[in-house]
Amino acid sequence: MYFPPLAEQKEIVARVEAKLQTVTALEAQISEREQLTKTLMQSIVKEFFEEE
């Protein structure tokens, strides 16, 4: 079984960790936008029923 040199392993780990941070940030954005969408939809429905 072959393992890359330690320096290369550390570089791989650093890149993977950076990508995981990006994924975490994107997940947070998705969550925020889902909440914003829900709030907006509630506002639209409320406005619709208040007009009648």
Side-chain angles (χ1 to χ4, degrees), residues 4-5 8 15 17 20 27-29 31-34 37-38 40 43 45 50:
E8 190 174 339
R15 289 183 185 202
E17 287 176 345
L20 286 174
E27 287 174 337
Q29 286 181 6
S31 179
E32 290 171 15
R33 290 181 180 163
E34 285 175 337
T37 300
K38 181 179 177 182
L40 188 57
S43 175
V45 169
E50 287 178 352

Side-chain angles (χ1 to χ4, degrees), residues 21-41:
Q21 288 177 354
T22 300
V23 168
T24 300
L26 289 171
E27 287 174 337
Q29 286 181 6
I30 289 168
S31 179
E32 290 171 15
R33 290 181 180 163
E34 285 175 337
Q35 183 59 43
L36 179 61
T37 300
K38 181 179 177 182
T39 302
L40 188 57
M41 288 298 293

Side-chain angles (χ1 to χ4, degrees), residues 1-9 12:
M1 181 175 278
Y2 168 76
F3 291 103
L6 186 57
E8 190 174 339
Q9 290 179 38
I12 292 167

